[in-house]
Amino acid sequence: MPRYGMVIDTKKCVGCQDCVVACKTENNIPEGYNRDWIVTEVKGKFPTVQMEIRTERCNHCSNTPCVSCCPTGASHIHEFGGIVLVDHEMCIGCKACVEACPYDARYIHPDGYADKCTFCINRVEKGQNPACVEVCPTHCMYFGDLDDPNSEVSKLLQSRKWHVNLPDAGTEPNIFYLI
Amino acid sequence: MNSISRRRFLKISGATIATAAILTGASKTLVKGADKINKEKVKGIQKIPTYCDLCFWKCGAIAYLKDGELWKVEGNPMDPLSKGRLCPRGTGGVGAHYDEDRLKTPLIRKNLRGEEKWVEVTWDEAFDFIADKMNKIKNQYGPESVALFSHGIGGNFIKHLLRAYGSPNETAPSFAQCRGPREVGFELTFGDVVGSPERTDIENTKCLVLIGSHLGENMHNTQVQEFSHAVQKGASIIVVDPRFSVAASKAKFYLPIKPGTDLALLLAWMGVIVREKLYDADYIAKYGYGFDKFAAEVSHYTPEWAYIETGIEPELIVETAREMARYKPATLVHPGRHATWYGDDTQRSRAIALLNALLGSWGRKGGFYVPYSFSIPKYPYPPYPELKKEPLDNPGGKYPFATGEQISTGIREATITGQPYPIKGWFVYGTNLMQALPNRDETIKAIQNLDLMVVVDVVPSEIAGWADVVLPESVYLERYDDLNTSPFREGFVGIRQPVIDEPNDQKPNWWIAKKLAEKLGLGNYFPWKDVEEYLDTRLKAAGLSLDELKKVGIVKAPERPIYFEDGVEPEFPTPSGKIEFYSDQLAQAGFDPVPRYTKHEQPPEGYFRLLYGRAPVHTFSKTQSNPLLRDMMSENELWINADMAAKIGIKNGQKVRLRNQDGVVSDAIKVKTTERIRRDCVYMVHGFGQKSRQLRSTYKKGASDAELITKYNTDPLMGGTAMNVNFVTIEAEV
Ligand code: SF4
Ligand code: SF4
Ligand code: SF4
C-alpha cells in the first residue's frame, strides 16, 4: 500500500494560483470556496526581503484530529494511499472537523457537508496526478508514494532541505515544502 | 495578487454565505447556470483541441465536455507554447463561457453616448444601421475616415473587412502603449524585432536579467515555465525593480532601483563591461558596427555616477555587470514587454539591446534564438481597393521610427483635430480603449467627433459603454478563428474551433465580418461559404487538412536550427548590415546615436509615483468578470511601503482614494502595507476600478490606474505614450 504525499518546491512557485483554479474546475468547487490556496510569507525590511510562496491544502496528516473528532465516521482515512477523505453522505455538517483542523483546510460546502482536498483520488486511481500538480506551470509540485524510497518525492526529500507547516501541532503532515 | 490565508478566506466567504444562499438556493457551481447548453448532449467525456484566448499568447489547449456541458480546459501536450499546461487564466477559460455579465444580443444606443442606455436589436438591424452610416461616411469623407482599433487574432476578419472597404487606418494599443519602444529599440540595433511570443531563450539561459519585468506575475505561460526551469537549473537571476516582485524573490541579486533611472543603470553596466573589456570581442568584431564610438561614449558612465541617480550601490553595479559577463553569451537581458514608462523608452530599450549585443547573446543559445513559423499561404482574396490617402496616425513622419505598426493615440488625435483628414468612424475589436489609452478625456473628446462607433466584444467593456452599436461576440470556446502560426522555437500551426454553443445570440467575428461585408456590397471579399471552407483552403495550400487539424489541434513544422552556433546564418537587416552599436540613422534624424541619460521628474514632497502591473489571474481589464478568475482576485490593492504608510497614518486593509497631480480622484482601494516596495512609489494591478455599469460583478471594484493616468510623455522616436509619469497623494476614506 502506498502512502501518498506531496513535495512542493517553494523556490519555483510563483504564486500564480493556477493550482487553485485547476482544483476548482476539476472538482466543481462553488464560487467563494477553495480546497487549496496560496500563502506568501515575507520576512525582513525593504530592500533586504525574503519571501516564501506556498501552495497549501489539506496535509493528509498521519495523525488526524479531524478524523478522531468526527462523530459519524464520515471523516476517515481511505485505505488507498492513506488519503484523508470525507464521505459526503454520512457527513452531518456539524463542523467539528473544521474546528479540529489546525490548518483551516476544511470548509462546509453550501450543500451541507464538510469538504476539502481529496488529492484528486478519482484521478490518482487512474494513474494521473492530482489536478493542481498536473497544471502547475512551474512544475513545482510533486505527488507520489512517500514509503517508496525510489519515488521522486522520497528522493527530493532526501536531497533537499524541507519543512512542514505547524510541525508542533503533532499531526504529522504529508505535504512537504522544499526550501 | 490576493495571497489569502485559509483563515482569512473563510472569514470573507463566511460573511457572504448567507446572502449567497438566499439568492441562489443551494450551491452555485460553474457548470450549472448557463442559459443554453449544447443542442446535442453527448454522453461521457469529449476532448476537443483548440487554442486559448484568455490572452494573446495563444496556448494550445484541450477543452473537456462532460455529458455535453463544458467542464474544463487543459493544455495540449503537443503544443510548444503550453507544453500541456495552461496559465491560471487559461485554466479559468471555462469561466468566459459562463460569465453572467456577457453581452447577449446586439445593442444600439438609445440616447447620449456613454449613458449606457440601449435598445436590443437583431443582427440584421444592427448591420443595416452600421452599413448605412458607413456608406454615408464613405460618400462624404471617403473610406479612409473609418479607423479600426483591434487586439488579438480575432481582429483578423474585421481587419480584412475594413481593408476591403478601403481604409488604411488600423491600430492596436499594443504598439504605442506597450511593446512598441522595445521593438523599435531592438530593430534599430539588430535590424529585427523581439516579437511575440518573445524570442527569449529563458530555458537555456545561465544568467537572466529582468528590468521592471515581473515574470510570474506577468503570466506569459511559456516564459514562466522556462523561468522556473532556469531557477531549477540554478541560473543566476538579477532583478531590477522598485518593487520586490515575485521574480525578485527568486533572484541572486535584487536591485531596488529608483523609478525613472533605469537607463543610468544600463549605461553604467555597459561602462563597466567596456572598461574591463568583459564583452564578447569576437562577436563584436564579426558583427558589430561603430563599436569604438560607442565604447568611447559609454565608458564615461561610472557606477559612482549611476549610484547617485539610481540609488544602487556601486559595488552591486560592478558585481552584477561582471556576473552577466561571466555567463556570456548565455546571458539574457530580458527586453520586457510593457515598455512605455518615461518617454525615452526606445532609447532605454536600445540600451538593453546594446547590453545584449556586448554579451553576444543575440542569436545565441541562452540569449535570443532565431524563431521560425509554419508558413501557411494566405487566402486568395481579390486585391484591396487602391488607397487614396495614407494612414494618418503619424502625419509628416513626426515620429520617424514609428515603423511596422500604427500609433493608436495618433488616430485618436486625428479624430479630435480632423487633421490631416477627418476620422468619422471607429471600429473597436477586443480592446478596452478606456483602460488602454492614457488620458480618458482625450478619448471621450475624440468619440464625440464620430458619426459611428462600433464595439465588438464579449463583455460590456467600458469602451462599449461609449459605442453607438455593440456587437456581442462568441467567446473563443464557441468559435473558429484564424490559424495560429506564431513564430517560435518550433514552427507550428494551431487551430481554434468551437467546443460548445453560444448561450445567447452571440456570433463569431468571422460571421460578423462576412455578414457586414455583404450588407456593404463587399461580399466578393468573403467568397467562402463559411469559416471552415476558409480554413480548409488555407490548410490545403500548405498540404494539411482541416479535418486532421481539428483532431490534433497542433501540427508542427520540421525542426530547424535556431542558434548561430547551430548554423543559422546571422543576418542584421540594419543600414550597415551589422549590429549598430552606433546608429547613423538615429544621428541623421537628430537623435542620440548612442543612448544618453536624461533625468526624469521625481515626485514632489508628499507625492508618490504611480506604478502599475499585472496579476497572474487577469489579462488587462478583460477578465475581471470571469467568475473563476474573479474568485481568485476580485479587486486590486494599493501597495505602499510599510514605514511610509505608518508615517502618513494609513493602515493595512484600510480603504483610500488616490488623487493625482491633475486633481483626478480614484475609486476607493484597499491598502496593502508591505516591505516589498520603495518608499517613493505606490503600485496597483492594472484593470480594476471599472466603470461599466453593465459589468455588475466588477463595477468599481478597486481603483483604476488608467483613470489616474491623465499625463503621459511621448517618445520622440516612435510616438509611444509613457505612463509611469503620474504622481499621486493618498486620501483616507471616511
Ligand atoms: S500553480 Fe504552481 S506556481 Fe502557480 S501557485 Fe500553484 S504551485 Fe505555485
Ligand atoms: S490538514 Fe486538517 S483536514 Fe487535512 S488531514 Fe490534517 S488535520 Fe485533517
Ligand atoms: S498565457 Fe495563459 S491566458 Fe495566455 S494563452 Fe496561454 S494559457 Fe491562455
Side-chain angles (χ1 to χ4, degrees):
Chain A
M1 252 301 134
R3 181 169 61 96
Y4 284 126
M6 260 187 209
V7 172
I8 294 164
D9 189 345
T10 61
K11 282 252 181 311
K12 283 161 66 185
C13 174
V14 293
C16 68
Q17 298 181 292
D18 204 0
C19 45
V20 184
V21 186
C23 175
K24 290 195 72 136
T25 54
E26 178 74 28
N27 299 305
N28 202 13
I29 309 293
E31 269 187 75
Y33 299 86
N34 290 9
R35 283 180 179 178
D36 52 348
W37 60 93
I38 306 300
V39 169
T40 305
E41 223 172 69
V42 180
K43 284 191 198 133
K45 284 294 268 181
F46 187 85
T48 26
V49 180
Q50 277 187 332
M51 185 160 92
E52 180 175 295
I53 308 173
R54 287 193 302 270
T55 166
E56 295 191 352
R57 59 196 41 65
C58 168
N59 286 279
H60 296 275
C61 306
S62 296
N63 187 11
T64 46
C66 57
V67 171
S68 42
C69 77
C70 176
T72 65
S75 279
H76 63 284
I77 299 178
H78 193 56
E79 75 268 12
F80 186 70
I83 299 178
V84 177
L85 292 179
V86 184
D87 184 330
H88 295 168
E89 299 296 315
M90 286 168 75
C91 176
I92 52 169
C94 72
K95 297 191 190 148
C97 61
V98 175
E99 296 298 320
C101 170
Y103 301 98
D104 269 344
R106 295 176 170 233
Y107 65 93
I108 300 293
H109 192 282
D111 286 349
Y113 52 80
D115 193 40
K116 64 165 201 72
C117 161
T118 61
F119 270 170
C120 286
I121 182 160
N122 46 324
R123 293 175 57 98
V124 172
E125 277 170 346
K126 280 188 255 165
Q128 296 170 319
N129 272 322
C132 55
V133 176
E134 195 57 43
V135 78
C136 171
T138 70
H139 293 249
C140 76
M141 304 164 73
Y142 304 85
F143 178 81
D145 183 3
L146 296 165
D147 282 348
D148 173 2
N150 291 318
S151 67
E152 199 174 19
V153 280
S154 300
K155 283 188 187 150
L156 281 165
L157 291 178
Q158 279 151 30
S159 62
R160 295 265 304 266
K161 280 198 188 139
W162 51 264
H163 71 85
V164 295
N165 281 343
L166 305 181
D168 297 342
T171 56
E172 296 170 41
N174 287 313
I175 300 221
F176 301 85
Y177 295 97
L178 301 177
I179 44 179
Chain B
M1 186 191 54
N2 295 356
S3 55
I4 359 171
S5 82
R6 184 71 216 160
R7 202 172 286 278
R8 224 181 98 208
F9 191 77
L10 277 177
K11 251 190 225 146
I12 300 165
S13 52
T16 53
I17 290 171
T19 36
I22 292 164
L23 286 174
T24 61
S27 70
K28 188 156 109 351
T29 51
L30 285 164
V31 175
K32 297 166 198 158
D35 299 354
K36 190 175 115 189
I37 34 167
N38 264 11
K39 284 172 219 118
E40 293 165 58
K41 280 200 183 181
V42 181
K43 278 273 162 226
I45 309 278
Q46 283 172 280
K47 296 187 195 182
I48 304 170
T50 185
Y51 65 83
C52 180
D53 192 41
L54 269 283
C55 86
F56 46 81
W57 203 258
K58 306 196 255 318
C59 293
I62 296 178
Y64 284 68
L65 298 175
K66 196 194 261 173
D67 297 335
E69 289 185 54
L70 191 57
W71 173 22
K72 62 178 177 177
V73 192
E74 288 183 352
N76 183 344
M78 289 274 297
D79 173 43
L81 290 172
S82 74
K83 299 186 195 109
R85 293 175 183 234
L86 300 179
C87 89
R89 300 161 299 186
T91 303
V94 299
H97 171 76
Y98 290 116
D99 188 337
E100 293 146 14
D101 286 345
R102 281 182 70 172
L103 291 164
K104 295 185 169 68
T105 177
L107 304 170
I108 292 184
R109 173 166 65 83
K110 217 185 214 170
N111 199 1
L112 291 177
R113 281 205 177 104
E115 233 183 27
E116 296 185 66
K117 300 235 167 86
W118 309 98
V119 186
E120 295 189 358
V121 297
T122 63
W123 281 96
D124 207 48
E125 286 163 344
F127 290 145
D128 276 338
F129 183 93
I130 298 168
D132 177 53
K133 295 264 180 175
M134 284 179 81
N135 285 331
K136 283 192 182 133
I137 294 173
K138 197 180 217 171
N139 290 337
Q140 200 177 341
Y141 304 98
E144 310 78 16
S145 292
V146 176
L148 169 66
F149 297 80
S150 158
H151 187 266
I153 196 163
N156 283 13
F157 293 104
I158 303 204
K159 259 182 210 164
H160 172 60
L161 167 70
L162 286 176
R163 285 182 198 168
Y165 172 77
S167 177
N169 294 306
E170 61 182 45
T171 186
S174 50
F175 181 71
Q177 281 69 51
C178 192
R179 59 189 169 74
R182 172 193 89 177
E183 304 300 28
V184 175
F186 271 67
E187 200 168 9
L188 284 165
T189 310
F190 298 110
D192 204 354
V193 298
V194 180
S196 173
E198 280 80 357
R199 46 163 74 181
T200 45
D201 194 11
I202 300 172
E203 182 164 340
N204 294 306
T205 198
K206 298 206 172 93
C207 176
L208 175 67
V209 186
L210 299 174
I211 304 180
S213 176
H214 47 266
L215 275 187
E217 291 160 276
N218 189 359
M219 200 70 204
H220 297 153
N221 192 354
T222 323
Q223 294 203 47
V224 175
Q225 294 199 21
E226 293 192 13
F227 175 63
S228 88
H229 194 75
V231 170
Q232 178 166 18
K233 285 202 309 189
S236 178
I237 292 169
I238 300 170
V239 171
V240 183
D241 203 317
R243 193 172 62 91
F244 188 81
S245 60
V246 165
S249 74
K250 318 284 178 202
K252 182 166 171 192
F253 301 97
Y254 168 53
L255 284 61
I257 196 163
K258 182 201 279 185
T261 67
D262 310 78
L263 190 47
L265 175 67
L266 289 160
L267 290 166
W269 271 340
M270 292 196 279
V272 173
I273 292 172
V274 165
R275 274 195 308 280
E276 299 189 5
K277 297 204 169 18
L278 301 173
Y279 46 80
D280 190 334
D282 291 346
Y283 182 90
I284 293 169
K286 250 201 209 138
Y287 307 126
Y289 170 83
F291 180 72
D292 293 342
K293 281 196 266 185
F294 160 85
E297 174 92 25
V298 297
S299 53
H300 298 313
Y301 296 104
T302 64
E304 291 71 24
W305 163 81
Y307 170 60
I308 297 168
E309 296 301 320
T310 61
I312 312 284
E313 302 285 341
E315 301 73 39
L316 190 53
I317 297 178
V318 174
E319 201 182 344
T320 44
R322 289 179 185 156
E323 182 87 354
M324 287 179 227
R326 179 169 310 134
Y327 296 107
K328 71 171 183 297
T331 296
L332 171 62
V333 187
H334 196 288
R337 188 156 183 125
H338 181 74
T340 41
W341 299 352
Y342 303 110
D344 55 354
D345 304 300
T346 304
Q347 290 286 17
R348 184 190 67 249
S349 297
R350 185 161 139 73
I352 294 175
L354 289 167
L355 180 55
N356 279 300
L358 277 178
L359 300 164
S361 73
W362 185 261
R364 311 284 282 280
K365 190 169 183 181
F368 294 80
Y369 62 81
V370 183
Y372 66 100
S373 39
F374 200 128
S375 111
I376 307 264
K378 290 204 162 71
Y379 190 90
Y381 285 130
Y384 294 127
E386 211 180 305
L387 292 174
K388 303 226 168 55
K389 293 176 195 161
E390 294 282 301
L392 50 45
D393 63 303
N394 186 16
K398 188 167 157 199
Y399 304 109
F401 297 97
T403 51
E405 294 177 51
Q406 292 181 26
I407 306 169
S408 49
T409 27
I411 292 184
R412 181 177 75 178
E413 183 64 25
T415 312
I416 296 173
T417 62
Q419 298 300 327
Y421 55 85
I423 289 287
K424 288 291 169 187
W426 279 14
F427 263 77
V428 182
Y429 176 86
T431 175
N432 182 4
L433 299 180
M434 300 310 286
Q435 291 261 358
L437 303 182
N439 196 331
R440 281 182 184 187
D441 285 353
E442 284 180 42
T443 308
I444 294 168
K445 212 161 138 194
I447 293 171
Q448 300 305 352
N449 280 352
L450 296 174
D451 292 346
L452 173 68
M453 174 153 133
V454 181
V455 168
V456 185
D457 213 328
V458 296
V459 290
S461 58
E462 292 159 292
I463 193 69
W466 292 89
D468 301 326
V469 188
V470 181
L471 302 178
E473 197 193 2
S474 323
V475 302
Y476 75 107
L477 293 164
E478 302 152 355
R479 68 179 199 238
Y480 280 107
D481 243 316
D482 214 340
L483 301 166
N484 177 23
T485 56
S486 299
F488 194 60
R489 295 173 182 282
E490 302 167 83
F492 68 93
V493 52
I495 188 164
R496 177 175 292 156
Q497 61 179 322
V499 303
I500 192 159
D501 291 338
E502 297 85 355
N504 314 96
D505 202 12
Q506 297 92 348
K507 294 285 183 191
N509 59 66
W510 64 264
W511 184 90
I512 297 173
K514 183 174 162 70
K515 291 291 164 195
L516 185 53
E518 284 162 8
K519 283 271 183 208
L520 287 163
L522 300 169
N524 59 321
Y525 286 95
F526 290 82
W528 31 270
K529 180 170 96 292
D530 54 23
V531 71
E532 295 184 34
E533 194 180 295
Y534 162 88
L535 294 170
D536 203 31
T537 308
R538 287 193 66 193
L539 288 165
K540 280 217 180 87
L544 302 170
S545 93
L546 178 63
D547 282 343
E548 186 53 27
L549 193 56
K550 281 173 71 169
K551 272 181 226 136
V552 290
I554 304 265
V555 174
K556 287 187 195 169
E559 261 185 61
R560 261 209 237 163
I562 55 169
Y563 307 115
F564 293 171
E565 53 263 50
D566 291 346
V568 175
E569 190 55 45
E571 267 183 87
F572 305 99
T574 56
S576 63
K578 295 193 156 198
I579 301 172
E580 301 214 329
F581 282 93
Y582 184 94
S583 171
D584 292 325
Q585 47 172 343
L586 278 176
Q588 275 155 20
F591 297 108
D592 296 330
V594 176
R596 278 199 193 151
Y597 181 63
T598 27
K599 261 189 199 292
H600 296 300
E601 200 189 337
Q602 290 297 329
E605 188 61 33
Y607 278 84
F608 300 88
R609 186 186 297 272
L610 174 65
L611 298 178
Y612 56 89
R614 303 278 179 238
V617 293
H618 286 296
T619 303
F620 313 138
S621 64
K622 65 200 262 179
T623 53
Q624 278 75 6
S625 62
N626 175 315
L628 274 162
L629 302 179
R630 188 181 70 217
D631 217 5
M632 297 299 106
M633 181 182 189
S634 59
E635 59 188 299
N636 57 359
E637 297 174 301
L638 183 76
W639 291 45
I640 177 167
N641 175 281
D643 289 347
M644 215 50 205
K647 197 174 146 199
I648 62 170
I650 55 170
K651 292 198 180 63
N652 193 39
Q654 182 180 352
K655 288 247 181 176
V656 297
R657 288 176 196 268
L658 307 185
R659 179 187 292 273
N660 81 355
Q661 71 283 330
D662 296 324
V664 171
V665 181
S666 76
D667 287 319
I669 179 171
K670 225 188 268 166
V671 167
K672 170 187 166 117
T673 62
T674 175
E675 292 297 341
R676 293 176 56 198
I677 191 166
R678 283 175 62 97
R679 300 165 67 111
D680 51 4
C681 48
V682 291
Y683 170 85
M684 65 171 82
V685 167
H686 171 79
F688 287 88
Q690 301 204 26
K691 303 276 201 283
S692 165
R693 281 185 287 272
Q694 292 166 282
L695 280 174
R696 288 160 300 172
S697 58
T698 185
Y699 178 65
K700 287 197 175 184
K701 289 265 167 67
S704 164
D705 56 310
E707 184 183 19
L708 294 164
I709 299 174
T710 48
K711 192 175 152 199
Y712 58 95
N713 286 347
T714 307
D715 190 311
L717 278 78
M718 51 61 71
T721 58
M723 298 182 275
N724 287 5
V725 297
N726 288 270
F727 302 140
V728 294
T729 55
I730 300 175
E731 300 178 353
E733 263 282 81
V734 271

